[in-house]
């Protein structure tokens, strides 16, 4: 059946069975590579995207369930030539080895950034617990998220500092 | 406890087998095998006097080409696995050519374009390919300068490169590489001693160049084989039982073939695969066909399961070929303390986050396979044999996949895709394994056992050392169709090749079984077990993980018995200057002498190894806190030092060592593939958990030693053993309880240390 | 709890509170002591205390997410507001380091802190009151020999006037029955041990017994089923049809492993309970299973009944709930569908999961919303669908699952049930 999806702010019409996991529609129909197939079981987080601003496993989200809802993928945060702030923090920390988990990590972390407020290192760890990395890039991922959080904080405080 | 070591050494002689391979007798130059000795013999050596992989591919233009615009293309037979090798090799080429790195395009393993450098394995890429490119680039720079000098009529040494792809001569003469290269043939053999750039004037090597592959990985660029989409591509799923040695029956093939969107169900012997227009259709068809009974088609899996006793029983029941690796010489010695200990490791999964994937296209009698295998040229050999084509009719191209850490399903999935493509000519086939297929069918890292006996003399020096290791082969890399799953499923199955050990000094189960320390009365025996009750092959660092764990644990056991600081005991027995430096540096950076004293919960440990006694030197120190109530180990800090010779990309080295430490903590403290008689039961991340964010160290600091101009030493696997041993040593320091069986998981730690 | 019920509960509490307050609100402080040292206790007593702490699940409430064990700080959402578990490490300033043995006993028995203030019955002293002196002393010995951690729990945020602790005096007057449990000589030692553990440290009734408006267990309805953190704690008494499918042996296995071939996996607040019991002494877990079995009215000798064939009415369910069917196929079938790897590993089919057969959809809905998260990282896992599915979609899936995997009547008002479950189970 034909469905209308809102992905990264743009409307797309796709032809797919309603039970098709969003992951396959993003990858195979829309050519978006960010969300990855890792387990298909909602255990590793490699497929993480946002639906209405919340992190979800796209491998277990039937496409029919997201009609009329806002879907954001890592492509919505920036492109390889024009990285968004969180992606830049990952680049600055060189926070990838094989990198297969990283798009999911970024989408997971972005939710924490969007939440705002004060974010401790323990908050970052607990928040990222959902996502798996096998190369052992965890320390750099934590540093990258920290860097992005601090950058956001710095912006906020510089705004506050204005008379 | 004290006794003469004469009896010990006599017994050692009695148990010694016929084959004596004296490690020290093998000349270093011939000792290093391409790709660490994994896989096949590798390409033929045609120029033994040349360094690195130039030995087998001595012609310069097989490595480096420069077009008229000065653009540089560099070819390597090695592949990017997420270890950052592309960036490091670009830095190497840019440095010796003296061009900006942005000018260099790197082509990785492709059977039609690049040299065959064997496997990308064994921490050999810098040693094999880095060395080849370094010297090839030096040759090219020399030829460019010579050609320019000829043209200008000046002396060769009056011509200099300027770092921006130009040559400068006396009187303001200047020419671009492109101009000079246009009149120069690089189709010439390299010479061994082309002048190299002065390390003091390096512009690119030794700097932290951002990795070239990272931006695409951060923003959904096409970075992986999983991201390839070819026109007319079909999606495939392969049908197998839950794990190796099982099959399904009955198979609802007719029903699945009739499902809308299913193009065909390929059957070739017992090989079965579903091919569909859409990926989700293929997945649903697979689930339909998997709704069947499981039948065991091989002998039952070892009865004892993955617990330590089970590992010991399973391995010791196998017929052993005893390989004596080191047998003395013996000299009389007295022992004040003797420690005997057995250490074990269960079977481990590679656990790549992305299940294996391959694309294949069979068209006009030719087959193209896109693969993320570590052995692109082997994929070609395997596919050619499997589908019955001449090798020259098969083109294998490496495309990066999810991290592999050894032989995961990458080779099998490529063979699967090739076989499917043969049955569906004209359309590209994309096959990805499902998560449970990766856990169920990939070769595991072998379970292993070591038994050590060591003595400390009254002079507080080690008086004798005996190390025995029991292991299956770690190198079952496919070099023919018998080595992949599909090869055993086609109507005339290819025989599974017999497992073979990798000779020392690289070794496989024996890797790093000979301590680098100066030890008298040293005996090392490898009980090589060729029969494999569980499908196994290479996992990052092979036997070094358990061998280093054992050796370095034993050092601390002796230190404790003799009341010696573990650092002093190590330094007292380390004659290798670079080894001493690395150990001393880690002690200094960790503030070992001022470390917190153990209090039942907090403790510190260190460990050291030189990978294979040939590669990088690595020392790791760790401070842990053991929650006795739950058995949870929290690593408060880990500090590592590594000497990898000249570091092409220091941050790349740090990234690898950091990752190695965290991965090794996961292996050592969490992981074991579980199984019952019928199947592997670790089928997902809840049944095979790995370390998550809450349990990674609070901090990891890696220091790369500055070794300008020194030969490259492989680094990628150097941390696995030391990190494992440092963890166990820190836990022993903290709690007073020595844990010798991996994994040191909370359940075991809790049971072993108790609440007081 | 609905707002109206909450108001009623508050009113009731206020009345009984005021009455009691006049009588015996005031409790004396027990003088602080020097913090005991490890050497003050016999090692065996400490070890026994560790086992008792496991059986009493102390760590579950008194440890924050990824926090130090017993250092407190974990929020507990109740109908009356949020309480934060206290630090029970022997830190002198923020923990119980200056508590004497008597102060500890009084807290566990009477719900009064060392300084004389009343403790909320979130600490189940209505159960702990039955624990013997010897066991309390062993627990004390164990806790006092843990590392002291300086950590102050956040302030509770309770509906006024419940922040006023003396009100609890009235609650205790009405609902707290102190005293030990005399062994029943007609019963086996195992049964008696089981009763002692279940009624005392194990505090099973805290979840499995319904509570009155004042939040106290209704003794006359012991084990008739309750609600905890938005999940139904199923009835364990003989009234329950589901209980009849158990045997002492299957109960034991379930308590030990969290899995039962006929009931499914332990979920919600029960999961940490079975995680604790997985390392408790085998004989104690057997004793608990024996006693619960007798509460359920199971014959001791009962052989496990054969596991019935699964119910699977896929065609009918798809006809009745086509949207639910599509959602199930994309969201659930990867684990619960035919041919899924989890099924191939022998995990129970959905028709053998209690939550699917229950009269009330609450647990099925909570499982979909919150998923299952094994404390140790090993064991049955289910991802949460709270964010990926709308309330309506969750209801559609639940309706489909009920029709497909159960022969019981459809669940009514599923949309309301989802909304309520979300409210009650809004875990962080």
């Amino acid at each position: 059946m034909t469905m209308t999806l809102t992905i990264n702010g743009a409307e797309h019409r796709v032809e797919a069975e309603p039970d098709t996991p969003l992951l396959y529609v993003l990858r195979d129909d829309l050519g978006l590579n960010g969300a990855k197939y890792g387990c298909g079981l909602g255990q590793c987080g490699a497929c993480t995207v946002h639906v209405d601003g919340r992190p979800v496993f796209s491998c277990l989200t039937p496409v029919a369930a997201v009609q009329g809802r806002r879907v954001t993928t890592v492509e919505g945060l920036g492109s390889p030539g024009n990285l968004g702030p969180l992606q830049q923090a990952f680049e600055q920390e060189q926070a990838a080895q094989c990198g297969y988990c990283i798009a999911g990590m970024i989408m997971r972390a972005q939710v924490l950034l969007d939440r705002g407020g004060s974010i401790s290192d323990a908050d970052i760890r607990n928040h990222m617990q959902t996502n798996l990395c096998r190369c052992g890039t965890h320390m750099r991922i934590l540093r990258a998220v920290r860097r992005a959080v601090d950058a956001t904080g710095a912006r906020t405080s510089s705004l506050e500092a204005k008379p | 406890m004290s006794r003469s070591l004469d009896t010990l050494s006599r017994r050692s002689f009695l148990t010694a087998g016929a084959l004596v391979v004296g490690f020290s007798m093998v000349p270093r130059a011939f000792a290093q095998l391409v790709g660490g000795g994994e896989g096949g013999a590798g390409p033929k050596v045609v120029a033994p006097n040349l360094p690195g992989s130039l030995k087998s591919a001595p012609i310069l233009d097989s490595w480096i080409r420069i077009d008229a615009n000065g653009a540089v293309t560099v070819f390597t037979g090695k592949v990017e696995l997420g270890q950052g090798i592309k960036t490091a090799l670009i830095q190497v080429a840019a440095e010796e050519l003296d061009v900006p790195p942005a000018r260099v395009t790197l082509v990785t393993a492709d059977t039609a374009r690049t040299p065959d450098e064997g496997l990308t394995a064994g921490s050999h890429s810098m040693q094999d390919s880095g060395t080849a490119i370094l010297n090839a680039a030096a040759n090219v720079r020399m030829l460019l300068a010579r050609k320019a000098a000829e043209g200008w009529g000046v002396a060769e040494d009056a011509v200099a490169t300027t770092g921006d792809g130009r040559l400068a001569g006396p009187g303001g003469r200047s020419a671009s590489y492109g101009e000079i290269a246009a009149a120069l043939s690089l189709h010439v053999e390299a010479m061994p001693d082309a002048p190299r750039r002065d390390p003091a004037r390096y512009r690119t090597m030794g700097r932290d160049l951002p990795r070239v592959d990272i931006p695409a990985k951060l923003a959904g660029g096409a970075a992986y084989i999983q991201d390839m989409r070819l026109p007319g591509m079909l999606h495939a799923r392969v049908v197998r039982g839950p794990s190796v040695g099982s099959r399904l029956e009955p198979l609802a093939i007719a029903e699945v073939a009739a499902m809308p969107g299913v193009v065909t169900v390929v059957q070739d012997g017992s090989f079965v695969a579903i091919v569909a227009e859409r990926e989700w259709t293929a997945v649903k068809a697979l689930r339909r066909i998997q709704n069947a009974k499981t039948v065991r088609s091989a002998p039952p899996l070892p009865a004892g399961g993955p617990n330590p006793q089970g590992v010991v029983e399973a391995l010791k029941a196998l017929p052993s070929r005893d390989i004596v690796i080191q047998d003395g010489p013996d000299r009389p010695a007295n022992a004040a303390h003797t420690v005997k200990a057995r250490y074990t490791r269960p079977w481990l999964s590679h656990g790549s986050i992305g299940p294996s994937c391959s694309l294949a296209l069979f068209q006009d009698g030719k087959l193209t396979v896109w693969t993320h295998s570590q052995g692109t040229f082997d994929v070609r050999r395997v596919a050619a044999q499997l589908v019955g084509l001449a090798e020259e009719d098969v083109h294998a191209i490496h495309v990066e996949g999810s991290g592999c850490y050894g032989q995961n399903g990458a080779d099998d999935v490529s063979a699967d895709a090739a076989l499917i493509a043969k049955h569906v000519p004209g359309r590209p086939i994309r096959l990805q394994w499902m998560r449970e297929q990766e856990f169920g069918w990939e070769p595991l890292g072998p379970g292993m056992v070591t038994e050590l006996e060591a003595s400390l003399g009254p002079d507080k020096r080690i008086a004798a050392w005996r190390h025995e290791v029991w292991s299956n082969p770690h190198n079952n890399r496919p070099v023919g169709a018998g080595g992949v799953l599909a090869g055993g499923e086609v109507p005339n199955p290819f025989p599974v090749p017999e497992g073979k050990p990798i000779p020392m000094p690289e070794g496989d189960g024996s890797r790093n079984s000979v301590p680098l320390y100066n030890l008298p009365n040293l005996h090392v025996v490898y009980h090589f077990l060729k029969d494999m009750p569980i499908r196994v092959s290479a996992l990052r660092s092979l036997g070094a993980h358990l061998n280093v764990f054992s050796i370095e644990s034993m050092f601390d056991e002796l230190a404790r018995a003799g009341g010696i600081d573990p650092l002093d005991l190590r330094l007292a027995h380390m004659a290798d200057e670079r080894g001493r430096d690395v150990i001393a540096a880690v002690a200094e950076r960790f503030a070992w002498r001022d470390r917190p004293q153990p209090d039942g919960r907090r403790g510190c440990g260190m460990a050291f190894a030189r990978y294979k006694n040939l590669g990088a030197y690595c020392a790791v120190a760790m401070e842990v806190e053991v929650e006795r109530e739950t058995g949870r180990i929290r690593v408060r800090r880990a500090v590592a030092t590594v000497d990898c010779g000249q570091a092409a990309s220091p941050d790349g080295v740090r990234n690898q060592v950091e990752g190695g430490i965290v991965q090794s903590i996961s292996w050592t403290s969490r992981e074991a593939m579980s199984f019952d008689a019928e199947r592997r039961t670790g089928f997902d991340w809840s049944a095979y958990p790995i370390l998550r964010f809450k349990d990674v160290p609070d901090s990891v600091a890696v220091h790369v030693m500055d070794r300008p101009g020194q030969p490259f030493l492989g680094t990628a696997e150097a941390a696995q053993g030391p990190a494992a041993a440092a963890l166990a040593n820190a836990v022993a320091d903290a709690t007073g309880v020595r844990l010798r069986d991996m994994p040191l998981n909370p359940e075991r730690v809790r049971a072993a240390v108790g609440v007081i | 709890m609905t707002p109206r019920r909450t108001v009623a509960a508050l009113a009731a509490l206020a009345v009984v509170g005021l009455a009691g307050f006049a009588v015996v609100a005031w409790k004396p402080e027990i003088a602080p002591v020097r913090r005991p040292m490890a050497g003050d206790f016999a090692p065996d007593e400490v070890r026994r205390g560790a086992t008792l702490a496991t059986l009493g699940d102390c760590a579950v409430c008194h440890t924050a997410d990824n926090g130090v064990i017993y250092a407190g700080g974990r929020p507990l959402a109740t109908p009356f507001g949020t309480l934060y578990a206290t630090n029970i490490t022997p830190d002198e300033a923020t923990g119980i380091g200056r508590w004497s043995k008597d102060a500890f006993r009084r807290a566990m028995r009477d719900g009064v802190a060392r300084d004389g203030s009343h403790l909320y019955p979130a600490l189940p002293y209505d159960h702990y009151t039955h624990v013997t002196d010897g066991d309390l002393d062993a627990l004390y010995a164990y806790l006092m020999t843990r590392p002291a951690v300086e950590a102050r729990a956040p302030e509770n945020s309770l509906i006024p006037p419940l922040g006023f602790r003396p009100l609890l005096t009235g609650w205790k007057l009405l609902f707290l029955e102190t005293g030990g449990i005399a062994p029943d000589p007609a019963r086996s030692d195992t049964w008696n041990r089981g009763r002692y553990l279940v009624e005392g440290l194990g505090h099973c009734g805290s979840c499995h017994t319904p509570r009155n408006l004042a939040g106290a267990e209704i003794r006359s309805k012991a084990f008739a089923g309750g609600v905890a953190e938005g999940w139904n704690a199923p009835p364990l008494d003989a009234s329950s049809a589901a209980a009849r499918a158990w045997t002492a042996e299957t109960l034991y296995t379930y308590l030990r492993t969290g899995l039962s071939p006929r009931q499914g996996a332990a979920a919600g607040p029960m999961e940490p309970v079975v995680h604790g019991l997985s390392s408790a002494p085998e004989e104690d877990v057997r004793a608990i299973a024996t006693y619960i079995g007798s509460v359920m009215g199971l014959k001791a000798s009962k052989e496990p009944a054969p596991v019935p064939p699964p119910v699977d009415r896929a065609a009918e369910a798809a006809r009745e709930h086509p949207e639910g069917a599509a959602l199930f196929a994309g969201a659930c079938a990867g684990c619960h569908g035919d041919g899924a790897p989890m099924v191939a590993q022998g995990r129970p089919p959905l028709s053998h999961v209690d939550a699917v057969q229950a009269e009330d959809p609450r647990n099925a809905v909570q499982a979909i919303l919150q998923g299952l998260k094994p404390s140790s990282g090993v064991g049955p896992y289910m991802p949460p669908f709270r964010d990926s599915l709308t309330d309506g979609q969750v209801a559609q899936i639940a309706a489909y699952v009920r029709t497909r995997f159960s022969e019981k009547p459809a669940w009514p008002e599923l949309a309301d049930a989802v909304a309520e479950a979300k409210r009650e189970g809004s875990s962080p």
Side-chain angles (χ1 to χ4, degrees), chain B residues 337-385:
Chain B
H337 305 277
T338 297
V339 180
K340 283 177 77 162
R342 172 192 283 167
Y343 306 87
T344 66
R345 182 183 93 157
W347 290 266
L348 301 180
S349 170
H350 298 85
S352 305
I353 297 298
S356 297
C357 180
S358 181
L359 277 75
L361 171 63
F362 184 61
Q363 199 161 31
D364 306 327
K366 308 231 183 224
L367 178 70
T368 308
V369 184
W370 291 266
T371 178
H372 60 100
S373 161
Q374 289 172 271
T376 312
F377 287 77
D378 287 333
V379 165
R380 174 169 72 171
R381 287 178 198 111
V382 168
Q385 226 181 59

Side-chain angles (χ1 to χ4, degrees), chain B residues 354-575:
Chain B
S356 297
C357 180
S358 181
L359 277 75
L361 171 63
F362 184 61
Q363 199 161 31
D364 306 327
K366 308 231 183 224
L367 178 70
T368 308
V369 184
W370 291 266
T371 178
H372 60 100
S373 161
Q374 289 172 271
T376 312
F377 287 77
D378 287 333
V379 165
R380 174 169 72 171
R381 287 178 198 111
V382 168
Q385 226 181 59
L386 185 68
V387 305
L389 287 173
E391 263 186 44
E392 50 272 26
D393 290 331
V394 180
H395 179 191
I397 304 165
H398 179 268
V399 185
E400 198 182 344
S402 176
C404 61
Y405 330 106
Q407 191 194 337
N408 63 1
D411 294 278
D412 295 302
V413 81
S414 299
D416 291 347
L419 192 54
I420 298 168
K422 188 185 106 175
H423 287 271
V424 189
R427 294 189 69 177
I429 301 294
R430 177 189 185 275
L431 169 65
Q432 184 162 18
W433 276 7
M434 303 301 287
R435 165 51 48 205
E436 78 278 8
Q437 292 179 321
E438 190 73 34
F439 272 126
W441 289 87
E442 65 145 11
L444 299 173
M448 289 175 65
V449 175
T450 60
E451 287 177 6
L452 275 69
E453 180 172 349
S455 300
L456 198 63
D459 57 353
K460 308 234 166 187
R461 294 190 62 87
I462 293 170
W465 189 279
R466 180 172 186 83
H467 182 122
E468 295 184 58
V469 52
W470 286 258
S471 177
N472 276 153
H474 291 240
N475 171 29
N476 300 299
R477 304 264 192 185
V479 292
V484 291
L485 295 170
E489 295 167 339
V490 291
N492 294 307
F494 294 84
V496 178
E498 189 165 278
K500 287 188 184 60
I502 299 177
M504 288 297 265
E506 302 263 4
D508 62 326
S510 52
R511 182 166 291 179
N512 274 92
S513 56
V514 179
L516 191 68
Y517 301 99
N518 272 18
L519 303 175
N521 301 314
L522 174 63
H523 298 268
V524 181
V525 180
Y526 178 17
H527 303 280
F528 173 75
L529 316 167
K530 73 174 171 55
D531 300 334
M532 294 166 268
I534 296 178
R535 187 178 192 226
V536 294
S537 192
L539 171 68
R540 194 176 185 185
S541 84
L542 311 192
H545 181 226
L546 184 68
N547 285 323
V548 173
F549 177 84
S550 310
I551 292 167
E552 292 293 306
S553 291
M554 179 55 87
F555 252 81
D556 275 36
E557 299 205 38
L558 289 177
R560 192 179 177 84
I564 309 168
D565 189 297
L567 171 62
D568 295 330
L569 189 66
R570 285 180 172 81
L571 289 174
H573 292 83
M574 179 54 61

Side-chain angles (χ1 to χ4, degrees), chain B residues 208-291:
Chain B
D208 291 336
L209 192 71
R211 259 173 51 193
V212 294
D213 55 326
I214 284 185
K217 293 175 174 178
L218 304 179
Y224 305 93
I225 192 166
Q226 284 88 349
D227 301 335
M228 283 184 70
R229 279 177 288 274
L230 299 175
M233 185 174 85
L234 295 170
H235 292 275
R237 288 295 181 274
V238 64
V239 178
R240 293 196 167 99
S243 67
V244 183
S246 72
R247 61 186 161 79
L248 298 170
E249 69 175 36
L251 296 175
I253 287 177
E255 187 189 330
V256 163
M259 284 170 67
V262 171
V263 175
T264 185
V265 178
V266 172
Q267 274 185 283
D268 196 345
S270 63
F271 178 86
V272 179
I274 296 156
V275 181
E277 293 284 351
R278 296 177 64 82
E279 195 167 7
W280 180 236
T281 309
V283 172
K284 286 208 287 188
L286 176 70
R287 293 309 182 208
R288 170 62 198 92
I289 218 166
Q290 280 178 328
N291 189 19

Side-chain angles (χ1 to χ4, degrees), chain B residues 132-195:
Chain B
I133 291 170
L134 186 80
N135 285 283
N139 269 275
V140 169
R141 190 168 41 80
M142 176 187 76
L143 295 178
L144 288 167
R146 186 176 293 165
K147 190 80 184 171
E150 272 173 36
W152 293 333
V154 302
E156 196 178 324
D157 60 7
V159 177
T161 55
T162 53
D164 56 355
R166 295 191 72 82
L167 295 137
R173 291 183 180 88
S174 172
S176 74
Y177 282 15
E179 292 165 48
I180 305 293
L184 181 69
S185 170
L186 294 180
H187 196 70
V188 295
E189 192 161 318
M191 57 168 269
D193 295 311

Side-chain angles (χ1 to χ4, degrees), chain C residues 236-425:
Chain C
L236 303 179
D237 62 3
S239 73
S240 151
R244 285 191 283 280
W246 292 96
T247 66
E249 190 57 35
T250 58
L251 267 174
Y252 169 77
T253 307
Y254 173 76
L255 291 172
R256 204 66 167 163
T257 65
L259 254 182
S260 158
R262 288 191 59 163
Q263 284 81 12
M270 190 62 192
E271 194 284 330
V273 174
V274 297
H275 174 60
L277 291 179
S278 69
S279 62
E282 180 183 338
E283 59 276 18
D284 282 343
V285 182
R286 289 208 179 272
I288 292 170
T290 301
Y291 177 68
I292 296 286
S294 89
V295 170
M296 286 175 165
L298 307 179
K299 297 260 187 327
S301 61
K302 189 182 156 199
E303 286 293 311
V307 177
V311 175
D312 190 349
R313 307 186 304 158
E316 193 178 336
R319 249 193 333 272
E320 282 181 30
H321 307 285
E323 289 173 34
L327 293 168
F328 182 89
C332 318
C335 293
H336 297 293
D338 294 336
M342 194 174 86
V343 174
Q345 292 284 340
R347 299 270 178 86
L350 277 179
S351 62
H352 292 170
V353 172
D354 268 354
V356 174
Q357 303 302 335
E359 214 170 292
D360 171 340
R362 192 198 301 255
N363 284 7
V365 168
Q366 286 296 22
I368 299 171
L369 290 172
Q370 297 190 33
L372 271 66
K373 223 190 261 176
S375 312
S376 61
V378 195
Y381 165 90
M382 174 166 162
F385 290 88
R386 191 171 45 228
D387 293 324
S388 58
L389 301 173
T390 64
D391 290 8
Q393 290 162 353
V394 172
Q396 284 170 349
I397 289 179
Y400 170 81
V401 164
R402 176 72 163 183
T403 306
R404 179 169 168 186
F405 298 107
S406 172
E407 284 164 330
K408 305 233 166 83
W411 285 315
E413 326 257 322
L414 263 171
D416 292 349
V418 175
E420 193 183 332
K422 240 182 185 170
R423 259 197 322 276
E424 291 180 345

